[in-house]
Amino acid sequence: MSKKFLKFPEGFLWGAATSAHQVEGGNNNDWTEWEKENADRLANEAKNKYQKWQQDKFSEMFKKENYISGKACDHYHRFKQDFDLAKFLNHNAHRFSIEWSRIEPVEGEFDEKEIEHYRQVIKALRERGIEPFVTLWHYTHPRWFTNRGGWLHPEAKETFLNFVKKIVSEFKNEVNFWIVFNEPETVARHGYIQAIRIPQERSILKALKVLRIFVETYRDAFDLIHSIDEKAKVGFAESLVDFESYNKWPHNLLVKKLLEWYRNKQFVPKVADKMDFLGLNYYFHSRIRFNPFKSWKWFQFNENKMGVSDMGWEIYPKGIYRILKKVSCYNKPIYITELGIADRKDKKREKFIKDHLFWIHKAIKEGVDVRGYFYWSLLDNFEWSDGFWPRFGLIEVDYKTLERKIHPSAYEYAKICKNNKLDL
Ligand code: BGC
C-alpha cells in the first residue's frame, strides 16, 4: 500500500517569519529615509521594471505611497493579536527581527523602553507556546550608522557587536535561537553591485569588502553570544540559489560555476565552523543559458514550467531539495528560515507550500537534518524596494483598515503544523 502521508520528525518547528521594518510600522531608520528619497522614482520606473500582466494586476505599483513603509501592518502595536492568529494556526515557532534603530537611536545610547517592548514581544510568544527565533539584523540600520559610512566604516563591526552584546545580555534567559544576520550576500549585492538598494553604488570590490566584514562580524558575534550564554544556538539566515546549467556546453557550466561561487559561497563556507544551525532562505532556481550576443540578457533565469509568483519568480519546489542535499555537508541542523510566495489571490500558496514540503521531507528521509520551517511571511508586508503590492502573507492585511484576514492556504498549513505531517 502506498503511503498516504509524510510524517515530519518529532519536535519539528512550524511557523512563519517577519522582519521589523516590513511589518512594525513607525520606524525611523536608513530605509525610512531612502523610501522618502526614492518613492517617486520607483513609482515612475514601475512601467519598465515589471511585466505587463503585473502592471495590469497590481496598479498600486504606480503610486508613490506604495513605496513608503509608513505604518506598515502596525504590528508594533498589534503583535499580541498577530501572535494569537499564529497560535490559532498551530504555529509553534516564530521568526522576527529586533529593530536596531529603535534600540540604539543615538550611538551608544540604548532606549530601555524599546528593549522592554521586545521583552513583551518575546513574552507574548512564549505565553502562546511559540518558540522565538530572533534576528538581530534584517537589512535596516540606525541612520547614524549609515550616514557615517555603513559597513565600510572602520568601527562598523565593533558598533554592531555592541548592540548584539546589549540585546543578548538582556534576553539570554528568554531566547534560545539567535539569527545574527539575514542574507548578508543579498545586501552586499543589492547595495554595491546591482545598486538597487542602499547605498546604491556599483563596485564589486566594495561588495566583496562588505562581505568580508560581514564574515568577520558574524564570526565575532558567534563567539560573543556564546560568551554571554553558552547554551545559545547561534546562526544566520542566508538565501541560496539552486543553479542549473541549461545543457553541458562548457560556457554554461562555467557561468553556472561563477554565479554559484558568488551567490552561494561568499558567506556560508566561511562561517561554517561557527554555526550552531544553518538558516536557509529559498526563493530562486536559476537555469543558466549563456548568450554573449544578447547584451545583458545573457542568462536565462527560468522557463516558467511550473508557473510564477506575482513577483514573476519561478516556482521550483525541487530546488529546495537540491540545496538541502548540498548544505548537508556542513553536518549542522538546518532551519528553513524563509520560503514563501507572493500570491495575492491565494490561488497558488497551498500547493506551493505542500510541494516544497514534499521535497523538504524527501531530504529529511535521506538523512538531512532539517528541524523547522518558517513560511515567509505571517502577514502581508512591505517588500522593500517593491513596496506593498507583493503579498506574501498567510494572513492578508488591509492596509487602510489594518484588518487581518486569514487565507484558506493558512488553514491548510495549520493542519500540517498541527499533525506534523503532510497528507499526500
Ligand atoms: C528577505 C525578506 C523578503 C523576502 C521576499 C528575503 O530575501 O529576507 O525580507 O521579504 O526575501 O523577497
Side-chain angles (χ1 to χ4, degrees), residues 249-286:
W249 286 36
H251 64 289
N252 285 334
L253 292 172
L254 181 70
V255 174
K256 172 184 175 262
K257 257 212 148 17
L258 261 172
L259 288 173
E260 205 155 38
W261 167 80
Y262 179 73
R263 288 291 293 265
N264 293 350
K265 304 272 168 71
Q266 294 307 315
F267 192 79
V268 184
K270 299 178 181 168
V271 299
D273 57 323
K274 287 194 189 277
M275 61 189 187
D276 297 312
F277 62 89
L278 193 157
L280 179 60
N281 299 355
Y282 171 63
Y283 291 98
F284 299 110
H285 165 247
S286 184

Side-chain angles (χ1 to χ4, degrees), residues 18-19 22 95 138-139 182-183 186 190 197 237 239 281 283-284 311 313 338 340 376-377 381-384 386 392:
T18 63
S19 89
Q22 294 178 272
R95 175 180 172 219
H138 197 123
Y139 293 178
N182 179 70
E183 299 191 4
T186 308
H190 285 167
R197 294 184 185 175
S239 169
N281 299 355
Y283 291 98
F284 299 110
M311 300 287 278
W313 298 350
E338 280 183 38
W376 181 271
S377 171
N381 61 54
F382 182 73
E383 178 55 25
W384 306 109
D386 295 287
F392 282 84

Side-chain angles (χ1 to χ4, degrees), residues 287 302-308 314-316:
R287 206 177 275 103
N302 66 63
E303 292 173 327
N304 304 342
K305 277 197 190 134
M306 278 177 265
V308 294
E314 182 189 18
I315 298 171
Y316 194 75

Side-chain angles (χ1 to χ4, degrees), residues 348-415:
K348 300 181 178 171
R349 190 171 283 110
E350 176 187 341
K351 181 164 163 46
F352 176 96
I353 294 175
K354 290 183 174 171
D355 288 354
H356 283 84
L357 287 175
F358 172 87
W359 285 105
I360 293 169
H361 187 274
K362 182 168 162 61
I364 295 175
K365 212 171 58 193
E366 292 172 15
V368 184
D369 187 7
V370 186
R371 300 200 183 172
Y373 166 58
F374 296 83
Y375 175 82
W376 181 271
S377 171
L378 180 65
L379 304 166
D380 284 340
N381 61 54
F382 182 73
E383 178 55 25
W384 306 109
S385 47
D386 295 287
F388 284 111
W389 73 260
R391 289 170 176 266
F392 282 84
L394 289 170
I395 299 169
E396 184 185 341
V397 176
D398 178 328
Y399 291 118
K400 290 211 173 74
T401 60
L402 293 172
E403 205 183 310
R404 274 70 166 148
K405 202 169 123 206
I406 300 177
H407 275 306
S409 60
Y411 288 106
E412 289 300 316
Y413 179 48
K415 284 186 210 158

Side-chain angles (χ1 to χ4, degrees), residues 9 115 117 301 384 393:
I115 292 176
H117 168 81
F301 274 102
W384 306 109

